[in-house]
């Protein structure tokens, strides 16, 4: 009798809809055009391109515009079709796109920075253009008059910028690993606070204005969720990448965070679970489980006639332990550890199978992602990579 063939369970994963190719250099930023089958991109090759889907099913440029300097970043407002482009020479150039996306009309230029513009945000409600640059300055301009309203010097080059319209708070992440919060007025700003949780530079920021939570991605491969609105100072660490995190996007309607990085990974985090803060690592001169001295504790080594051991830390309880007392590994998804990490033997026994259930899904984009844009209405994700390729994904199988 033939063995019954069991059907394999269907794997829920992103569906690649389109590859958009043609740029000569890295596409630093791109966005999906709302209500259109189109993409706007800016590239290191100095081009601004608007790609529209043709009858053949392929995306071809309806606009091909060459700028005087490499295009480092952009901000597009669909309501006004205002396109703000940051350049390598420190200039921000603004254009208005026609309704059919076949023409772009120059509006004005801002001499915003002394060197490369790193991030731009256009705030329609206030008619402000916010920007950061490699000159270690944050600036904001009036988009009507073009006048500079104010500025602030950051501790390092900023690579993350987010703004909360309701409270007029701006969040700036920089390459020192620090996040700065400023309160903006019409022509001045006040430093609210700074916080640091990454061991590497901040590479991306993402703001959820409903839950009032800030997400920061870093070159240390981690994402941190900062509870700004709860005022509890809670910081939840998420470990799901093997290389630097370079882009973040948040799906508010499903409370899922999308993080992408240099490892090509697209990680979709379920943020609708009660997550736990990772404990502080405790200091000790000997193992807090078996009392064996660590190798720098000469006195106890001499008194007990024992060889000193190397110090480790349990990721679950934070205790300082030796290798023998922390020989096990376990994932702790509710603490953000989707990969197996070191835990002490007693914590390993206490972790249940339910607690090991993953809270994130992992997908391979097959390119080193430098930027993402998520269109929540269609569930589409755009990724642009160092391979000069833009990919469009249907994320509805995993973001739902």
């Amino acid at each position: 009798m033939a063995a019954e063939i069991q059907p394999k369970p269907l794997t829920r994963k992103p569906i690649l809809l389109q590859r958009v190719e043609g740029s000569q250099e890295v596409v630093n930023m791109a966005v999906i055009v709302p209500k259109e089958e189109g993409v706007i991109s800016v590239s290191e090759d100095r081009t601004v391109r608007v790609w529209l889907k043709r009858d053949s099913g392929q995306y071809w440029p309806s606009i091909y515009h060459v700028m005087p300097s490499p295009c480092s970043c952009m901000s597009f407002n669909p309501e006004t079709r205002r396109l703000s482009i940051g350049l390598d020479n420190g200039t921000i150039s603004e254009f208005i796109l026609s309704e059919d996306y076949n023409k772009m009309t120059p509006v004005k230029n801002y001499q915003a920075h002394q060197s490369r513009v790193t991030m731009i945000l256009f705030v329609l409600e206030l008619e402000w253009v916010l920007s950061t640059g490699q000159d270690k300055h944050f600036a904001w301009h009036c988009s009507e008059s073009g006048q500079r309203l104010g500025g602030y010097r950051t501790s390092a080059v900023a690579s993350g910028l987010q703004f909360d319209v309701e409270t007029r708070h701006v969040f700036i992440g920089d390459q020192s690993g620090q996040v700065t919060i400023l309160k903006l007025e019409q022509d001045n700003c006040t430093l609210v606070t700074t916080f640091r949780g990454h061991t590497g530079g901040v590479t991306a920021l993402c703001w959820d204005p409903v839950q009032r939570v800030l997400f920061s991605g870093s070159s240390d491969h981690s994402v941190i969720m900062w509870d700004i609105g709860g005022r509890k100072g809670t910081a939840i660490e998420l470990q799901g990448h093997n290389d630097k995190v370079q882009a973040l996007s948040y799906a508010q309607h499903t409370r899922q965070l999308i993080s992408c990085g240099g490892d090509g990974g697209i990680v979709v985090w379920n943020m609708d679970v009660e997550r736990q803060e990772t404990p502080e690592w405790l200091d000790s001169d000997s193992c807090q489980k078996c009392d064996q001295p660590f190798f720098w504790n000469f006195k106890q080594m001499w008194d007990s006639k024992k060889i000193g051991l190397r110090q480790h830390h349990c990721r679950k309880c934070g205790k300082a332990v030796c290798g023998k007392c922390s020989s096990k590994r376990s994932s702790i998804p509710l603490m953000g550890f989707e990969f197996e990490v070191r835990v002490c033997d007693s914590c390993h026994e206490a972790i249940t199978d339910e607690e090991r259930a993953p809270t994130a899904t992992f997908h391979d984009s097959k390119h080193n992602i430098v930027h993402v844009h998520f269109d929540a209405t269609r569930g589409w994700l755009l990724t642009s990579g160092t391979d000069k390729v833009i990919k469009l994904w249907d994320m509805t199988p995993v973001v739902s």
Side-chain angles (χ1 to χ4, degrees):
M1 179 174 153
E4 184 181 351
I5 299 174
Q6 296 292 334
K8 293 182 179 179
L10 293 174
T11 305
R12 296 168 66 86
K13 61 181 183 180
I15 300 166
L16 181 62
L17 299 173
Q18 192 72 241
R19 286 170 58 97
V20 182
E21 300 178 79
S23 298
Q24 302 302 309
E25 297 289 343
V26 175
V27 178
N28 287 317
M29 208 167 277
V31 296
I32 300 168
V33 180
K35 302 175 183 177
E36 297 279 347
E37 292 199 85
V39 169
I40 304 170
S41 68
V42 296
S43 170
E44 203 68 29
D45 65 8
R46 299 193 294 133
T47 63
V48 181
R49 308 185 197 211
V50 179
W51 312 77
L52 295 181
K53 191 174 183 179
R54 307 301 181 181
D55 293 338
S56 64
Q58 298 298 310
Y59 282 70
W60 290 95
S62 62
I63 293 176
Y64 180 99
H65 185 86
V66 180
M67 301 295 291
S69 182
C71 307
S72 53
C73 55
M74 62 174 280
S75 177
F76 178 63
N77 182 266
E79 295 176 47
T80 60
R81 298 188 306 282
R82 184 191 297 256
L83 179 64
S84 307
I85 302 165
L87 302 180
D88 190 63
N89 62 13
T91 303
I92 296 174
S93 296
E94 278 194 349
F95 300 85
I96 297 294
L97 299 183
S98 61
E99 286 188 40
D100 60 4
Y101 291 95
N102 281 308
K103 182 182 178 183
M104 53 191 287
T105 305
V107 178
K108 64 171 71 70
N109 289 329
Y110 308 88
Q111 298 305 317
H113 297 277
Q114 298 299 313
S115 56
R116 186 181 179 93
V117 183
T118 54
M119 293 295 292
I120 304 174
L121 285 178
F122 171 63
V123 184
L124 177 62
E125 294 87 346
L126 300 169
E127 297 289 350
W128 286 354
V129 177
L130 315 180
S131 63
T132 56
Q134 284 191 345
D135 57 1
K136 299 183 182 179
H137 272 87
F138 160 73
W140 72 104
H141 291 76
C142 173
S143 63
E144 291 295 294
S145 65
Q147 180 184 354
R148 182 184 173 99
L149 299 175
Y152 181 86
R153 183 169 177 81
T154 55
S155 59
V157 174
S159 42
L161 181 65
Q162 290 287 285
F163 183 70
D164 182 61
V165 176
E166 184 183 339
T167 63
R168 297 192 182 185
H169 284 142
V170 64
F171 307 95
I172 306 166
D174 64 45
Q175 291 180 2
S176 74
Q178 181 173 286
V179 177
T180 302
I181 303 180
L182 304 174
K183 175 68 179 289
L184 298 191
E185 302 298 342
Q186 186 62 29
D187 54 4
N188 66 77
C189 67
T190 308
L191 176 64
V192 178
T193 188
T194 60
F195 44 87
R196 184 189 297 269
H198 291 288
T199 56
V202 175
T203 50
L205 291 179
C206 184
W207 172 243
D208 174 15
V210 178
Q211 301 294 325
R212 308 201 65 74
V213 167
L214 181 72
F215 299 97
S216 60
S218 171
S219 57
D220 65 9
H221 307 182
S222 73
V223 177
I224 295 181
M225 181 184 81
W226 307 89
D227 182 10
I228 305 293
R231 303 185 185 280
K232 298 175 184 176
T234 307
I236 305 294
E237 196 169 334
L238 306 175
Q239 298 280 359
H241 287 276
N242 294 311
D243 203 337
K244 58 184 175 181
V245 179
Q246 299 195 120
L248 298 171
S249 188
Y250 187 68
Q252 285 185 14
H253 62 299
T254 59
R255 294 194 65 186
Q256 287 171 290
L257 176 72
I258 302 169
S259 63
C260 302
D263 56 2
I266 300 175
V267 184
V268 181
W269 304 86
N270 178 13
M271 303 311 299
D272 202 21
V273 295
E274 193 66 35
R275 294 189 176 272
Q276 302 167 18
E277 198 168 11
T278 52
E280 292 286 336
W281 283 5
L282 301 176
D283 291 325
S284 179
D285 291 327
S286 57
C287 175
Q288 294 182 300
K289 293 292 182 180
C290 68
D291 202 37
Q292 281 270 78
F294 293 133
F295 64 83
W296 62 82
N297 188 352
F298 298 112
K299 185 179 186 305
Q300 189 177 344
M301 286 166 57
W302 178 264
D303 292 343
S304 62
K305 301 295 187 291
K306 292 179 180 177
I307 297 174
L309 303 175
R310 183 183 172 192
Q311 183 192 58
H312 301 283
H313 282 92
C314 172
R315 302 307 193 269
K316 181 85 165 68
C317 66
K319 288 183 177 179
V321 289
C322 66
K324 186 178 178 182
C325 294
S326 59
S327 59
K328 305 287 199 306
R329 299 287 188 277
S330 176
S331 60
I332 321 173
L334 293 180
M335 281 188 168
F337 297 113
E338 294 288 336
F339 304 148
E340 290 193 344
V341 290
R342 182 185 295 272
V343 293
C344 66
D345 293 354
S346 55
C347 281
H348 187 270
E349 292 176 10
I351 300 172
T352 64
D353 289 340
E354 288 79 7
E355 289 178 306
R356 290 191 179 94
T359 62
T361 58
F362 299 83
H363 315 280
D364 185 9
S365 71
K366 292 184 169 56
H367 67 162
N368 179 338
I369 298 172
V370 295
H371 177 74
V372 299
H373 177 242
F374 183 64
D375 179 357
T377 56
R378 285 177 282 190
W380 287 8
L381 182 75
L382 176 152
T383 61
S384 58
T386 55
D387 55 3
K388 311 169 191 175
V389 176
I390 299 168
K391 294 184 180 182
L392 282 173
W393 307 84
D394 179 3
M395 296 296 289
T396 51
V398 289
V399 180
S400 58

